[in-house]
Amino acid sequence: MTTISELTTLNFFVGGQARLSQSGRYADISDPSTGEVIARTPLCTEEEVNLAIQSAKEAFPAWADTPAMKRVQVLYKFRDLIDEHLDELTRLVCTENGKVWEEAMGDVLKAKEVVEMACGVPSLMMGESLMNATTGYDTTLYREPLGVFAGIAPFNFPAMIPMGWMLPLCIATGNTLVLKPATMTPMTSMRMLELLYEAGLPDRKSTRLNSSHL
C-alpha cells in the first residue's frame, strides 16, 4: 500500500516560485483506471490565494507594458515544448483523468492549437482608425490589457481548458492570470506551467522580458 510519505505532494506557484502550502489540508488525486491514490494537492488557505492575487496585480503593469511581439516569443517556445513533451503530457492526462491515449493526446493538442493562435496577438490586438468620422474629428480605437483574470478549470479537460482556453490568450494580450486547476486533475496544468516558465515566462520580480528570454 502506498503511504502518504511516498505520494507526490503538489505545490502551488506564486511569482514563478513553487511554494509549499501551510494549510495542512490536502485532496487525494486518484488514477480512475485503478482507483489508486497517486498524489495529493494542497487546499490552499485564504491568505495563500490572496498572495497569488496580489502577485498577479504587481506583475501586471510591467507585463502589460512589454511589447506584444516580445510577449508571444514565450508562447512560441511553449508550443515547441508541448511538442517535445507531448507523450509525457498525454500520459499525465491519461493517469489523472482516465482518458484513453488518443483522447488524452487530443486534449493536449487542443491546448497547443490555442497557444498557436495566441502567437498571432500582435495582429489580433491591432486597433482601428477613421479620419473625418465626423466634421473635424478623427476616431482611433486601441485594444489594451485589462488586468488580472481568474480561471477556475473543470476536471474533464485538464490541458485544453486551463492551458488552452484560459491562459495563452490572457497572457499574450498583456494580462495576468490566477489559475485554479481542478482539484481532481491538477497535475497536467502544473506540468504545463513548469514548461511555460521554461519557455521564458518571467516571474514577478522580472516581469518585463529581457534579451535572455528572446
Side-chain angles (χ1 to χ4, degrees), residues 21-198:
S21 175
Q22 300 304 305
S23 72
R25 300 172 59 234
Y26 294 88
D28 290 342
I29 304 168
S30 300
D31 181 343
S33 67
T34 65
E36 178 188 3
V37 176
I38 54 176
R40 58 182 192 156
T41 187
L43 303 176
C44 290
T45 66
E46 182 177 348
E47 290 76 13
E48 289 166 344
V49 173
N50 288 334
L51 181 65
I53 295 170
Q54 183 60 34
S55 178
K57 287 181 178 179
E58 292 174 2
F60 170 69
W63 184 243
D65 198 40
T66 300
M69 286 295 293
K70 292 186 177 181
R71 292 196 301 261
V72 299
Q73 298 305 312
V74 174
L75 295 179
Y76 280 119
K77 293 183 180 180
F78 183 43
R79 175 203 59 189
D80 292 343
L81 287 171
I82 291 174
D83 277 335
E84 183 180 335
H85 294 269
L86 182 57
D87 282 354
E88 175 194 355
L89 296 171
T90 299
R91 189 171 299 281
L92 269 176
V93 175
C94 288
T95 302
E96 67 175 354
N97 182 264
K99 294 179 189 289
V100 299
W101 185 267
E102 291 78 9
E103 187 177 357
M105 182 174 288
D107 189 350
V108 177
L109 291 176
K110 284 295 182 182
K112 178 191 164 189
E113 283 183 4
V114 187
V115 172
E116 291 176 334
M117 181 177 71
C119 289
V121 151
S123 296
L124 295 173
M125 287 189 71
M126 285 183 178
E128 300 173 1
S129 62
L130 176 64
M131 296 181 66
N132 292 320
T134 189
T135 303
Y137 289 91
D138 301 334
T139 62
T140 303
L141 179 150
Y142 296 98
R143 292 186 171 90
E144 300 177 331
L146 294 176
V148 179
F149 284 72
I152 301 175
F155 77 94
N156 52 333
F157 289 94
M160 179 181 74
I161 294 179
M163 306 306 286
W165 292 1
M166 294 180 177
L167 185 142
L169 285 166
C170 183
I171 64 170
T173 51
N175 300 289
T176 55
L177 175 71
V178 177
L179 176 64
K180 195 277 181 190
T183 303
M184 296 169 60
T185 57
M187 297 170 67
T188 303
S189 292
M190 297 300 287
R191 179 60 182 133
M192 294 182 79
L193 181 61
E194 291 173 351
L195 295 178
L196 187 59
Y197 279 112
E198 185 179 333

Side-chain angles (χ1 to χ4, degrees), residues 12-23:
F12 68 101
F13 276 81
V14 172
Q17 304 297 319
R19 301 177 183 231
L20 182 65
S21 175
Q22 300 304 305
S23 72

